[in-house]
Amino acid sequence: MKVLVAYFSKTGNTKKVAQAIHDTLDVPTDMLSFDDVSFPDEYDLIFCGFPVHAHSVPPRVQTFISRLPKNKKVALFSTHGSRRNNQMARAAVEHAASLAIGRTVLGAFACRGQVDHALLDELTHKQEHEAWCNEARSADGHPNKGDLADAADFARLILARAR
């Protein structure tokens, strides 16, 4: 079995989770940013990681997932500034799963990630974003050791499902 851990990361949070997944797997595994993936059809299992942006899946990630070969086994993972199990973060993962029609989604994992403080400073001045910005500031320090251990557990579970 050959595995790809593909990710998009702006702040490094999603890359940290991708690395934890990659380091856990005991099969031949490549870890590449979405921009560096050229032949995803050579992999038996593809982990797709992304940050949640504006409560959704970034456009380049949407394109990547929708272009994956049909009948591929896929696992999704994301990072976000919201509290764990937040409805908007779950909705982003559900949206990503809906883009994977024709592929087998074996599971999804999400954890908090520290949000760029410049972005928070910019959005805090807009009343409609004030509550989320206050929540997102509490994500400082994430993903932490516990988050990365959970990502490793997720990787082992997905690999067992894929076999």
Side-chain angles (χ1 to χ4, degrees), residues 7-163:
Y7 67 91
F8 168 60
S9 186
K10 284 187 82 172
T11 62
N13 296 324
T14 306
K15 186 176 182 179
K16 287 178 188 175
V17 175
Q19 191 69 57
I21 290 169
H22 173 270
D23 292 349
T24 299
L25 300 173
D26 62 356
V27 295
T29 305
D30 293 328
M31 183 176 130
L32 301 168
S33 74
F34 286 148
D35 295 334
D36 295 330
V37 175
S38 54
F39 299 106
D41 53 324
E42 68 187 65
Y43 297 97
D44 302 300
L45 170 61
I46 301 173
F47 286 84
C48 297
F50 60 93
V52 175
H53 286 175
H55 315 299
S56 190
V57 180
R60 69 170 35 162
V61 179
Q62 293 180 35
T63 301
F64 181 85
I65 293 171
S66 65
R67 289 185 178 165
L68 287 173
K70 299 291 184 186
N71 300 316
K72 279 291 170 193
K73 294 176 183 173
V74 177
L76 304 169
F77 64 97
S78 67
T79 57
H80 55 84
S82 301
R83 296 204 190 285
R84 202 168 219 185
N85 294 320
N86 175 284
Q87 179 184 357
M88 290 180 277
R90 281 193 321 263
V93 172
E94 290 169 7
H95 178 218
S98 75
L99 297 169
I101 292 178
R103 293 105 185 151
T104 303
V105 178
L106 298 176
F109 172 79
C111 72
R112 299 188 83 192
Q114 183 168 323
V115 179
D116 179 9
H117 284 225
L119 174 65
L120 292 176
D121 291 343
E122 179 184 325
L123 292 177
T124 297
H125 301 294
K126 298 178 181 178
Q127 186 176 4
E128 65 271 21
H129 298 296
E130 187 176 354
W132 179 80
C133 287
N134 290 334
E135 181 177 316
R137 288 186 195 283
S138 70
D140 282 3
H142 288 269
N144 61 26
K145 286 182 182 181
D147 297 324
L148 299 178
D150 290 346
D153 290 342
F154 168 72
R156 285 187 283 276
L157 173 68
I158 294 301
L159 188 58
R161 288 179 181 170
R163 289 180 168 153

